[in-house]
Amino acid sequence: MKTNSRRDFLHKLAASAIAMPFFSSYTGFAQPGLLLPKQQNQVLRVALMGLGGYASRVAKAMQSCKRAKITGLISGTPAKLKEWGATYNIPERNRYNYENFDTIKDNPDIDAVYVITPNALHHEHAIRSARAGKHVICEKPMAINAAEGQEMVDACAKAGVKLLVGYRMHFEPNTLEVVRMRQAGELGQIMFFQGLSGFRIGDPNQWRLDKALAGGGALMDIGIYSINGARYMVGEEPVWVTAQETKTDTTKFKEGVDETIQFQLGFPSGAVASCLSTYNMNYLDRFFLNGTKGFAELQPATGYGPTKGRTNKGELSLPHVMHQTLQMDAMAGIILDNDVPTVSVDGQEGLKDLKIIDAIYRACATGTRQHIPA
């Protein structure tokens, strides 16, 4: 599909997502008899939605999974469906486009849909997947704001399916070692976190620089790593935020598309975080955590790996496995066996990040400290 026609197609999808009706809150239990784990032979069967660059990485990583496999494909590009179908041995009956994928409700070969489409489409695609009775794995950010995120959480609860978010770092061994040290008290009282997340973005015409599809700019794409990292590294939920936006290129970074944002978070214990999110600087992928008894540093902290780090006790050098392989095997356990991960990846986790993102944008717009709702 040509670039212009693809962008037109994505814009139409974005418009349909915005037009979707609101969902009321739902607090009931999962519907009995729906997607019983023991009926799935302990292998999670996944349909990938949105066959772009990141989906290619996920698909490659899943070839090494023991508990998850690709059994379906969803794309608006017929040539991709044909190519991917041949590559991953997906029969034509399990290949869908964005107009007909609701019929997956009648397909017993698919347990979950992994939504890897542009940010503004997550809301619609996740809700439609839930209505079809399929578990939902959604790339981050889960939605473009907390209101949409809440509707996704409610829709999945109403349908009796699980909603997980693609937080691959929650399963990375060196990251989890730092979390373990903090939880064990080895770092003492946590006082400070620094998160640096950024790179120089290329093609000015890509969807990530289109507010209608991305929902923002660097903060939605790369800055979310520092937002989420601050939470699991400090081990608390922030209660306030201040933020400042800097924009040097108004041609590439149009209204509503942030180039660089510095933000500061305050936690109930008194710990603070200082973070940077940017699309205009390379070599920014670092987490630093400081406590009264020690420190931990990860650099690179959130790239595709290998993750490297050190603490006051020495180097962190746990073996590297493709992050998405670890993620998908772990998510299979969460969905099929109700496993509880060390760091949550459920819809509520995604919603917490969205509330912080909303507050950061408010802080940039007003120049004042913003309260972060629980």
Side-chain angles (χ1 to χ4, degrees), residues 57-302:
R57 185 175 293 273
V58 171
K60 179 180 178 181
M62 286 185 67
Q63 302 314 296
S64 300
C65 283
K66 297 179 180 179
R67 302 208 57 197
K69 66 178 181 179
I70 304 167
T71 59
L73 301 169
I74 304 165
S75 173
T77 308
K80 284 187 177 181
L81 288 173
K82 182 177 181 180
E83 177 186 352
W84 283 55
T87 300
Y88 296 107
N89 194 30
I90 308 300
E92 288 193 22
R93 69 176 183 276
N94 291 359
R95 306 175 197 171
Y96 301 86
N97 58 44
Y98 294 114
E99 285 72 39
N100 69 12
F101 85 82
D102 305 88
T103 60
I104 63 173
K105 68 178 183 297
D106 301 316
N107 191 332
D109 295 339
I110 297 169
D111 304 318
V113 175
Y114 194 163
V115 178
I116 319 179
T117 52
N119 303 338
L121 309 181
H122 292 176
H123 175 256
E124 176 191 359
H125 292 160
I127 290 175
R128 286 173 65 184
S129 298
R131 285 176 167 176
K134 305 302 180 181
H135 297 294
V136 179
I137 302 170
C138 184
E139 256 314 300
K140 58 194 177 302
M142 189 173 76
I144 61 172
N145 55 53
E148 284 196 357
Q150 185 65 63
E151 290 167 15
M152 293 163 66
V153 169
D154 294 342
C156 288
K158 184 175 182 179
V161 299
K162 292 184 179 178
L163 171 59
L164 305 181
V165 185
Y167 291 114
R168 57 187 169 82
M169 302 313 299
H170 292 200
F171 308 103
E172 195 283 316
N174 292 294
T175 302
L176 289 177
E177 174 59 12
V178 174
V179 172
R180 185 204 65 76
M181 291 178 68
R182 189 257 303 158
Q183 291 176 334
E186 295 177 22
L187 302 178
Q189 180 181 348
I190 300 302
M191 305 297 293
F192 175 73
F193 171 81
Q194 182 187 53
L196 305 177
S197 300
F199 63 92
R200 289 184 63 87
I201 199 164
D203 180 8
N205 297 313
Q206 62 182 285
W207 70 262
R208 288 177 176 81
L209 297 176
D210 185 337
K211 187 178 188 301
L213 293 171
L219 190 68
M220 304 292 287
D221 181 36
I222 189 70
I224 191 172
Y225 284 101
S226 282
I227 293 171
N228 190 250
R231 294 176 48 237
Y232 64 71
M233 296 289 271
V234 173
E236 298 181 66
E237 298 302 330
V239 293
W240 60 258
V241 63
T242 55
Q244 307 81 37
E245 180 177 3
T246 303
K247 187 174 292 190
T248 63
D249 185 344
T250 56
T251 300
K252 178 180 283 190
F253 304 103
K254 297 178 175 60
E255 182 68 26
V257 180
D258 49 284
E259 174 188 321
T260 300
I261 292 178
Q262 299 174 77
F263 60 94
Q264 302 78 40
L265 300 168
F267 297 85
S269 67
V272 292
S274 177
C275 302
L276 176 67
S277 162
T278 184
Y279 267 160
N280 199 33
M281 289 177 253
N282 285 328
Y283 315 114
L284 290 177
D285 184 7
R286 178 178 184 262
F287 285 177
F288 179 79
L289 186 66
N290 181 264
T292 56
K293 294 182 180 179
F295 75 89
E297 179 185 41
L298 296 174
Q299 186 176 9
T302 63

Side-chain angles (χ1 to χ4, degrees), residues 170-171 330 334 338-346:
H170 292 200
F171 308 103
I334 294 169
N338 293 314
D339 289 349
V340 179
T342 300
V343 184
S344 178
V345 291
D346 64 13

